[in-house]
Amino acid sequence: MAPKPPKSPKGQKKGKKKMKQQLLVPEEEEPMNMESMGHPEIYPLVLTTKTQEIFNCRVDEDMTDEQTYKLIKKDDILADLQNRAAVSDFHPVKKIVREYPGEELLLVYDKDFKYGLNFYLIGTEDGKENFLKPPEVPEEQEELKEHVQEDVYVYNPPVSKPWVSLGSEKEIEEESVQESGKRVTYMISRKRSEFGAPVTFSDQNASSVKDAYIECTSYPEKNYTLSQVEKDVGLQVIAEVKDTSTQTKWAFPKNATTQYYPREFSEEEKSLIGESKSLVDFFNSVSTSVEVALQQNEIMNTFIDDWKNLAEEESAFGDKNDTHLKEYQSFTDLHNTMEKMITCVSWHPTIFGLIVVSVAVRLSYEERVQNSGRLLLQPSLLLFWSFSDPIHPQLMLESPDDIFCFEFCPSDPNIIAGGCINGQIVLWDITAHADRIENIKTGGHRSKKTSLKPMFLLEPDSNKESMYIRHCAVSSIENGHRKVITDIHWLPDSFEINRMGSVFENRSGINCQLVTCSADCTICFWDIRPQKPAVTAAAAAAAAAATTVTNNANSQQSPVEKKKEENIDIPFDVPSTFLHLDLSWKPLSRLKLSKGDTSLDHCPTKLSLGEDPFLCKIQGTSSIHIILRDKMLSQIKMVKTSEINPYQNLEAGIANILKPIEDFCTKFFVGTEEGEVIYTDWKMERDSDTGRLMAKKPVSLYTVHDGAVHTIQRSPFFNDIVLTVGGWNVAIWKEEVMTGPLLQTCCGPKRYTAGHWSLTRPGVFYIGREDGYVDIWDLLEKTHEPAQSQNICITMITYIKPWTFSSKQQFIAVADYYGTLHILEIPWTLSHPSLNEVSSVNYYFEREVRHLEYVQQRKEIREQEKIDMAQELVKKKAKIYQKTKEQMEAELKLEYESYLDLEKSVLFALGLSKVSEKKSYLDSH
């Protein structure tokens, strides 16, 4: 039953601005009719119990199998539409009712739901007449139909006709295939003396005689590929007749039967055989095997269809009925004495079975200050774990302080950028150690298959010594962030920005810029290329003078001092890729999210600029990373063959000749420490008063989460759908929809700490909790609660990262607060989407958008109703004060006379009034 619109409150405060008294009426939608089924005059309807009572068309009371229709007056329907408006069940056919020429409409009860709903309305007079008075079929036509049905079909065989040529034989000859080579002719001869000689046949083993048996097995030819060429062939309708014959005698099969009687032993023979030693020995020898066979029949199902289950057995470890995450492997650093937690996880973009984690000490700020001496002795690392060795890391990258976020460079996976707890950005270049991590041995040979083997089948590398790799560049402490860096991303290689936030084309074709956010309430953009300073005439003169003074000073220096200045000590194990950035790297631009009139700023924790460069939107297949991996591998091979790394000779920063990109969306999502989700613009503007560059005001700001936002990520299937996780709830947003989130979950039992979309199913995402559980949400199954929850560990989950290895095997990495990395295998049901899952999830998001628009319209209508009621109250009060003194006296006199009449009538009823007064009262009335 449709809900009634809530009543508006009566009272309103004074002083509100006047608005136009126009209600927002939704656009009339076209009514649904059955034109596709050949009945354009029929319009299906759903009549609720309330509507059935109003129009006396109640099911099983007014509407029965005998009485299936009812004539309803047009004026009654219009009155119902005027009273209940959009709540009326006749609202979808409002236009049809208004334009109906007659006075009564025919309403029919659709008991069998022939047209999809419980009632349908006939919208034309002709349709109503045809329903009430169906056309009668004449008796002559009925007799003719019966006569036609009784007639027996007579087969007339086709008659051959002479063929008339229309010139098609010439075209057939031109399109026909002609033999290009001559046919090979064989001549078999025999000696004349052997004619009529007797022939003897004998048995022999074909495999033992070389000349009698030759095996020609098929094998693939690698040097030859058969390509099918398109061929246009003309055919004649008449089939070509060809006579063939064989020397084989064909025999007609016949059913043959044989009747026989069983041979039975006599009683003497049975006793002799039963007492024989050979029978006893036989039973003793086979009794054990028979017992084993009987036990196997009890344990195993001998009637199972092996062919049917063959494909399921090939699919890794789980089957289609399994829905739980299975523990595959776990990694724990056993060599560090300090208790550390995992802060960030990332799978290697191109190497299968290699995962990288960053670890940080589990200490508060006060504990870090107290234990600063111990922390200096313990290195801060990024660990490279391999599936072939779960105990020893393959590589360990050193950093100045604990890393809380990092990301591989999409252009070159050997370059890694990370954010420290002290606000510095660190760059690593592991190109010199790429061969070590690529040549990981699995089973004695290099792994070339996409599917991974179980842990107990892998052979670890013989070299157990882990390598420590130093960073090649670190940002300036004075000009960087003041607090911990909470998120870092590489900007796509398709564009680059300047210090104003304007977007330009990226001609280099490689990722050269980064964006970071920190707890110091700033968002910074960084460029890894050497910045080209602007040179003016005065600056050039000053530089020339400084060069002259420097040359004079150098001429006075001793040769030893010159040698010290020329020789810069660079460690041998540190690459010089980003030497120009070390300790002098400054942000390109700095962005602050102000809170409006106050002097405080928003504290960002996570941000999302656009689509993830490591995720491709490939719908309908589970190999979501194959195209990107092939692209990156091809780029790496090209670099190795040419031995020219584009990051070795970086050009200067943004040049003035770059072409700006018009109509580029510079808006992005930001999650804050207070649980706010901000949709703002990174493009800056100048303040009209001070002339300084300032950030624009946020486009929208919603406080949805009741805690810090830990995850903000775009869907790999829909780039405008964003998932945010923080506090005790989860929300899903759609870009450019400013009315609120599409989905906001209720408060969970524990706080949510991490989340990630599924890489192959658009309606599935994983949420980690502080009690060690992982909630698996499936929007196609449930939207108010998770489809299932599974316990992974006993402590807080800090990070979740899924990855696709092949179409049959997918994994998800779950990191916890105690420093253990759990690798879980994703089952078949959570990794393989249904046939129309993408369109179904997209329809769900579109439906939620329409719901938000409807809620916003109702809110505006209610606000308008409140304003109208307040204005009516003001008008009534004004009318009371506008009355004259004479009018008020006349109204009071009328009221007093009515009071006297009421008093007399009461006295007459009680018998207390006099007869004279009674007569006068009756005469007056």
Side-chain angles (χ1 to χ4, degrees):
M1 187 172 179
K4 296 182 179 179
K7 298 182 180 178
S8 303
K10 296 182 180 179
Q12 281 292 332
K13 294 182 180 179
K14 298 181 180 179
K16 290 190 176 180
K17 296 182 180 178
K18 295 185 179 180
M19 298 177 63
K20 295 182 180 180
Q21 301 181 9
Q22 296 179 355
L23 298 179
L24 297 178
V25 181
E27 297 182 359
E28 294 184 358
E29 299 180 356
E30 289 294 329
M32 181 180 64
N33 63 353
M34 295 290 106
E35 186 176 359
S36 60
M37 299 178 63
H39 298 284
E41 73 279 2
I42 293 177
Y43 298 87
L45 288 174
V46 176
L47 298 187
T48 60
T49 308
K50 183 67 176 178
T51 306
Q52 294 176 15
E53 293 176 359
I54 293 173
F55 293 93
N56 294 327
C57 55
R58 293 168 292 184
V59 177
D60 296 333
E61 294 183 15
D62 301 321
M63 293 294 192
T64 59
D65 295 339
E66 291 77 18
Q67 183 67 22
T68 60
Y69 63 90
K70 184 179 180 62
L71 293 172
I72 301 177
K73 293 184 178 181
K74 176 181 177 181
D75 296 336
D76 296 340
I77 299 177
L78 294 177
D80 183 72
L81 288 171
Q82 186 175 3
N83 293 335
R84 297 197 293 171
V87 183
S88 176
D89 295 335
F90 290 96
H91 185 266
V93 294
K94 178 173 62 177
K95 184 178 180 182
I96 303 301
V97 175
R98 289 177 179 175
E99 297 176 358
Y100 189 75
E103 296 180 357
E104 292 182 341
L105 286 89
L106 183 62
L107 181 69
V108 184
Y109 171 48
D110 193 359
K111 180 180 180 181
D112 299 329
F113 292 87
K114 180 179 179 181
Y115 299 109
L117 303 177
N118 57 352
F119 287 86
Y120 63 89
L121 192 72
I122 297 180
T124 60
E125 284 288 330
D126 296 338
K128 183 175 73 173
E129 294 296 328
N130 293 336
F131 184 87
L132 297 176
K133 298 179 181 180
E136 298 180 359
V137 181
E139 296 179 0
E140 297 179 358
Q141 294 184 4
E142 293 180 356
E143 294 177 357
L144 181 61
K145 289 182 179 179
E146 294 177 357
H147 181 68
V148 170
Q149 293 177 358
E150 292 177 359
D151 292 340
V152 181
Y153 176 77
V154 180
Y155 172 73
N156 295 324
V159 181
S160 62
K161 298 179 182 179
W163 178 69
V164 179
S165 175
L166 298 178
S168 61
E169 64 274 6
K170 184 178 180 181
E171 183 180 355
I172 294 173
E173 291 180 359
E174 292 177 354
E175 296 293 336
S176 62
V177 179
Q178 303 292 338
E179 295 184 0
S180 58
K182 295 182 179 180
R183 293 190 177 184
V184 180
T185 304
Y186 292 94
M187 183 179 67
I188 300 173
S189 62
R190 191 179 184 183
K191 293 182 180 181
R192 182 65 182 84
S193 59
E194 296 179 358
F195 285 180
V199 180
T200 58
F201 296 95
S202 61
D203 298 335
Q204 69 176 13
N205 190 0
S207 60
S208 62
V209 181
K210 183 178 181 181
D211 297 334
Y213 174 76
I214 299 176
E215 182 180 5
C216 297
T217 58
S218 60
Y219 64 95
E221 180 64 32
K222 298 181 179 179
N223 299 327
Y224 177 74
T225 57
L226 181 63
S227 59
Q228 183 178 3
V229 181
E230 185 178 356
K231 182 172 64 176
D232 188 6
V233 180
L235 300 176
Q236 187 68 19
V237 177
I238 301 174
E240 183 180 357
V241 181
K242 191 173 184 179
D243 296 336
T244 57
S245 61
T246 60
Q247 297 178 357
T248 306
K249 183 180 179 181
W250 179 74
F252 183 75
K254 297 180 181 179
N255 294 329
T257 59
T258 303
Q259 187 175 3
Y260 64 94
Y261 295 97
R263 188 182 65 176
E264 296 182 357
F265 291 103
S266 61
E267 295 297 334
E268 296 178 358
E269 291 176 344
K270 290 180 181 180
S271 61
L272 291 175
I273 294 173
E275 295 176 357
S276 63
K277 184 181 179 182
S278 59
L279 184 62
V280 175
D281 296 338
F282 170 74
F283 280 123
N284 293 332
S285 62
V286 301
S287 60
T288 305
S289 58
V290 172
E291 290 177 357
V292 172
L294 292 175
Q295 291 176 358
Q296 290 178 350
N297 292 338
E298 292 292 334
I299 295 173
M300 299 175 61
N301 184 11
T302 58
F303 301 100
I304 192 171
D305 190 357
D306 295 332
W307 290 103
K308 184 178 181 180
N309 300 328
L310 183 61
E312 296 183 359
E313 292 177 358
E314 292 179 355
S315 60
F317 298 94
D319 56 2
K320 296 180 181 179
N321 299 325
D322 192 6
T323 59
H324 292 277
L325 303 174
K326 291 188 176 181
E327 184 78 21
Y328 184 83
Q329 199 168 351
S330 62
F331 300 96
T332 306
D333 189 10
L334 304 176
H335 302 282
N336 293 323
T337 57
M338 298 288 292
E339 296 180 351
K340 295 189 176 183
M341 63 176 179
I342 296 178
T343 57
C344 188
V345 179
S346 180
W347 296 86
H348 198 282
T350 57
I351 300 176
F352 302 107
L354 192 66
I355 187 169
V356 186
V357 299
S358 60
V359 293
V361 182
R362 301 197 305 265
L363 297 176
S364 61
Y365 179 76
E366 293 78 7
E367 293 174 345
R368 281 181 174 271
V369 174
Q370 295 176 2
N371 300 322
S372 58
R374 293 180 57 194
L375 294 177
L376 292 175
L377 300 177
Q378 190 74 17
S380 301
L381 303 172
L382 256 69
L383 306 178
F384 280 67
W385 291 106
S386 173
F387 276 54
S388 62
D389 191 353
I391 301 177
H392 303 87
Q394 299 296 319
L395 294 177
M396 290 189 286
L397 308 185
E398 295 181 347
S399 64
D401 212 332
D402 288 343
I403 298 292
F404 272 73
C405 57
F406 69 93
E407 191 176 42
F408 285 93
C409 179
S411 299
D412 187 359
N414 293 324
I415 295 175
I416 307 170
C420 295
I421 192 174
N422 61 357
Q424 289 181 295
I425 297 182
V426 188
L427 288 176
W428 293 274
D429 186 0
I430 60 172
T431 306
H433 311 279
D435 294 336
R436 174 185 174 87
I437 58 177
E438 287 182 3
N439 296 327
I440 298 173
K441 296 182 179 180
T442 57
H445 301 280
R446 183 175 177 178
S447 177
K448 297 182 180 180
K449 298 182 180 180
T450 57
S451 60
L452 295 179
K453 297 180 180 180
M455 183 178 62
F456 54 82
L457 295 180
L458 300 178
E459 296 181 4
D461 195 355
S462 59
N463 186 13
K464 300 296 182 183
E465 183 181 357
S466 301
M467 296 189 62
Y468 288 86
I469 300 175
R470 294 184 59 184
H471 56 82
C472 58
V474 65
S475 64
S476 172
I477 298 179
E478 296 81 6
N479 300 313
H481 291 287
R482 303 296 181 184
K483 293 183 180 180
V484 55
I485 297 177
T486 56
D487 202 3
I488 185 170
H489 294 283
W490 289 89
L491 266 66
D493 57 359
S494 57
F495 68 91
E496 60 184 63
I497 66 172
N498 60 359
R499 60 189 303 267
M500 291 282 294
S502 302
V503 182
F504 296 87
E505 61 178 355
N506 187 355
R507 294 184 178 178
S508 61
I510 59 176
N511 302 80
C512 294
Q513 291 184 340
L514 289 157
V515 58
T516 58
C517 65
S518 173
D520 61 352
C521 304
T522 59
I523 298 174
C524 293
F525 292 87
W526 308 75
D527 199 318
I528 64 174
R529 296 168 294 185
Q531 298 300 315
K532 199 172 187 179
V535 179
T536 60
T547 305
T548 306
V549 173
T550 305
N551 293 335
N552 295 333
N554 290 338
S555 61
Q556 298 175 1
Q557 289 179 353
S558 62
V560 179
E561 294 177 353
K562 288 184 180 181
K563 188 174 182 180
K564 287 183 179 180
E565 291 182 358
E566 292 176 358
N567 296 332
I568 301 175
D569 295 335
I570 302 175
F572 68 94
D573 58 343
V574 177
S576 60
T577 310
F578 304 105
L579 186 61
H580 58 279
L581 300 175
D582 195 19
L583 297 177
S584 62
W585 193 9
K586 300 178 182 180
L588 180 67
S589 63
R590 191 185 301 270
L591 187 68
K592 281 193 175 184
L593 304 177
S594 177
K595 286 189 177 181
D597 299 333
T598 63
S599 60
L600 301 177
D601 298 325
H602 295 285
C603 182
T605 56
K606 297 291 178 181
L607 54 87
S608 175
L609 295 181
E611 62 183 58
D612 193 342
F614 291 106
L615 297 179
C616 298
K617 292 190 291 183
I618 305 173
Q619 302 175 0
T621 176
S622 59
S623 301
I624 196 169
H625 304 288
I626 294 176
I627 293 178
L628 184 62
R629 286 171 177 169
D630 294 343
K631 180 181 178 181
M632 295 186 67
L633 287 173
S634 61
Q635 292 178 356
I636 295 171
K637 290 180 180 178
M638 291 175 61
V639 170
K640 288 186 176 180
T641 53
S642 59
E643 294 298 335
I644 298 176
N645 191 344
Y647 288 95
Q648 293 290 344
N649 298 317
L650 291 172
E651 298 179 355
I654 299 175
N656 297 326
I657 60 174
L658 292 180
K659 181 181 178 181
I661 301 177
E662 302 294 339
D663 300 332
F664 189 90
C665 181
T666 57
K667 299 180 180 62
F668 65 105
F669 282 89
V670 179
T672 66
E673 199 172 34
E674 294 83 8
E676 301 163 331
V677 178
I678 304 174
Y679 187 61
T680 184
D681 197 338
W682 77 58
K683 202 169 184 178
M684 306 180 73
E685 58 184 4
R686 290 192 180 276
D687 189 4
S688 58
D689 298 332
T690 61
R692 295 181 179 179
L693 292 176
M694 296 181 62
K696 295 182 179 180
K697 294 183 179 180
V699 180
S700 63
L701 189 149
Y702 292 93
T703 306
V704 173
H705 303 285
D706 44 10
V709 177
H710 299 287
T711 299
I712 179 165
Q713 185 200 13
R714 294 179 183 265
S715 171
F717 292 86
F718 310 101
N719 192 38
D720 56 347
I721 299 297
V722 180
L723 171 69
T724 59
V725 179
W728 275 267
N729 59 352
V730 180
I732 296 179
W733 309 76
K734 185 177 177 65
E735 198 168 6
E736 303 298 338
V737 176
M738 305 305 172
T739 53
L742 304 183
L743 172 66
Q744 181 180 354
T745 64
C746 58
C747 293
K750 295 291 182 179
R751 285 187 303 173
Y752 295 127
T753 56
H756 204 286
W757 287 99
S758 173
L759 302 180
T760 53
R761 289 197 56 187
V764 175
F765 53 90
Y766 308 94
I767 306 297
R769 304 191 323 209
E770 65 176 353
D771 58 351
Y773 277 79
V774 172
D775 290 345
I776 303 173
W777 287 76
D778 190 349
L779 298 179
L780 295 182
E781 183 177 349
K782 297 178 182 179
T783 57
H784 65 285
E785 63 180 1
Q788 57 177 320
S789 298
Q790 185 174 345
N791 181 257
I792 306 300
C793 54
I794 61 174
T795 183
M796 179 178 66
I797 293 175
T798 59
Y799 211 88
I800 291 179
K801 190 77 171 180
W803 194 249
T804 301
F805 284 91
S806 66
S807 60
K808 298 179 181 179
Q809 199 170 28
Q810 296 184 24
F811 292 94
I812 182 170
V814 179
D816 62 12
Y817 186 71
Y818 287 163
T820 303
L821 181 64
H822 305 268
I823 307 297
L824 306 169
E825 185 181 6
I826 301 176
W828 177 278
T829 54
L830 296 177
S831 60
H832 290 73
S834 58
L835 184 61
N836 299 321
E837 184 166 347
V838 177
S839 59
S840 301
V841 176
N842 188 27
Y843 174 74
Y844 167 74
F845 290 145
E846 292 176 355
R847 186 181 63 190
E848 293 300 321
V849 171
R850 292 195 297 269
H851 175 70
L852 288 176
E853 293 175 355
Y854 172 75
V855 172
Q856 185 66 20
Q857 291 177 1
R858 295 298 302 172
K859 188 182 295 183
E860 294 175 359
I861 290 173
R862 293 192 187 98
E863 293 294 335
Q864 186 65 31
E865 289 177 352
K866 292 178 183 178
I867 295 172
D868 294 342
M869 293 184 67
Q871 291 177 355
E872 289 179 1
L873 290 174
V874 172
K875 289 181 180 178
K876 289 181 180 180
K877 293 180 180 179
K879 287 181 179 179
I880 293 173
Y881 291 114
Q882 288 175 1
K883 292 181 180 179
T884 62
K885 185 177 181 181
E886 292 78 6
Q887 290 176 349
M888 295 178 66
E889 289 179 355
E891 290 179 358
L892 292 173
K893 187 176 181 181
L894 291 174
E895 290 180 1
Y896 180 68
E897 290 178 356
S898 62
Y899 169 73
L900 291 177
D901 294 338
L902 179 62
E903 184 182 11
K904 290 179 181 180
S905 63
V906 173
L907 292 174
F908 290 153
L910 297 175
L912 300 177
S913 62
K914 298 178 181 180
V915 178
S916 59
E917 293 178 357
K918 186 175 182 180
K919 288 182 179 179
S920 63
Y921 175 76
L922 293 174
D923 293 338
S924 62
H925 288 76

